[in-house]
Amino acid sequence: MSKPSPDLGINADDVAGYLRAHPGFLADYPDLATSLEIPREQGAAASLSVYQLQNLREKNRELEVRLAELIGIAGENETLMQRVHALTLAVLRSTTVESTLRGIVSRLQEDFRSERVRVLVYGGQQHLPDEPWLVREPRGAAGLPEFGDFLGQQQPVAGRLAPNRLRRLFGADAEDVRSAAMMKLGDEAILAIGSTDPDRFAPGMGTLFLKMIAATASAGLFRAREAA
């Protein structure tokens, strides 16, 4: 509580208010900056200059930690860009729908270290050979009621999928998938990546790279189909 000054008729609140209104006060009276004492949570009181120096050091440490985090994120993004580039090259080298899909799956498994990759084909590519990563739906989109809302949008989905979606995509491996990402490939297929790590894919994660992968794969399939 503020104590009134019998000599000046002012209290501590008046002094504090004046200093707030005149932030340059200590520049005119620099001797006060070294004589004022600031109470600390731990240890003895410190002069204002020492207090400011300690605060600056703490802020510098916080900035260094943040900078290190940003550098780490930039490095991870650069690595992802290189992998997306390798995926793009693999798609460009492919000349058929089959080789395009094989290249996509191979790059995702090797470069992105994806544990389980599936391509659910529903758009008329039923002549493809049997592969562990290939799932067919000969009835088209009508045969995928559990994906109805997803097929009506263009955005990738990441997180924990509903059990019926997991079973449709991953079959016997569905119980091992704790998180997954789904991407729509044009109007003919769904590309899915499953992981045993529940934190590998999350609803709040950025989807930029998933969109890039989906766009590359979709363009590759369209190109191969037109060339057939």
Side-chain angles (χ1 to χ4, degrees):
M1 180 178 292
S2 302
K3 295 182 180 180
S5 170
D7 299 325
L8 301 178
I10 60 175
N11 58 36
D13 288 337
D14 296 326
V15 176
Y18 179 86
L19 291 176
R20 289 191 183 96
H22 301 81
F25 178 80
L26 291 179
D28 297 328
Y29 300 91
D31 57 306
L32 290 177
T34 57
S35 61
L36 289 175
E37 293 185 349
I38 309 299
R40 303 288 287 172
E41 294 182 359
Q42 297 179 352
S47 70
L48 181 60
S49 58
V50 172
Y51 175 75
Q52 291 174 326
L53 179 59
Q54 290 173 335
N55 276 349
L56 285 175
R57 287 174 176 171
E58 291 174 1
K59 289 180 179 179
N60 283 340
R61 283 193 290 268
E62 292 174 359
L63 290 174
E64 288 174 357
V65 170
R66 181 56 179 159
L67 179 60
E69 292 175 351
L70 292 175
I71 291 174
I73 292 173
E76 292 174 359
N77 287 341
E78 181 180 0
T79 299
L80 286 173
M81 284 298 300
Q82 291 173 347
R83 292 171 179 172
V84 171
H85 179 64
L87 173 65
T88 303
L89 293 179
V91 168
L92 288 174
R93 286 193 292 265
S94 303
T95 57
T96 66
V97 171
E98 178 183 345
S99 62
T100 299
L101 289 177
R102 288 185 183 278
I104 293 168
V105 173
S106 176
R107 294 276 66 79
L108 289 176
Q109 290 175 333
E110 296 177 14
D111 295 343
F112 289 86
R113 297 181 178 86
S114 301
E115 301 167 55
R116 291 168 177 79
V117 180
R118 296 290 187 275
V119 179
L120 194 165
V121 175
Y122 62 90
Q125 302 291 342
Q126 307 306 322
H127 59 280
L128 296 169
D130 292 334
E131 291 290 346
W133 46 263
L134 182 64
V135 182
R136 291 184 175 85
E137 176 43 70
R139 295 170 293 176
L144 300 171
E146 62 270 67
F147 295 99
D149 58 337
F150 174 69
L151 295 179
Q153 63 183 28
Q154 297 298 325
Q155 297 298 320
V157 170
R160 300 185 182 183
L161 303 183
N164 58 344
R165 288 184 170 184
L166 287 176
R167 287 192 297 269
R168 194 64 181 274
L169 291 169
F170 300 100
D173 294 331
E175 293 184 0
D176 297 329
V177 177
R178 296 291 179 265
S179 65
M182 293 192 307
M183 293 151 275
K184 185 181 174 185
L185 305 184
D187 293 320
E188 56 189 305
I190 296 174
L191 175 62
I193 305 173
S195 175
T196 57
D197 181 358
D199 299 321
R200 173 75 184 275
F201 300 105
M205 69 178 290
T207 59
L208 173 62
F209 288 103
L210 294 179
K211 291 178 182 177
M212 294 175 66
I213 291 171
T216 298
S218 298
L221 288 175
F222 177 82
R223 171 174 169 269
R225 187 176 63 250
E226 292 296 304

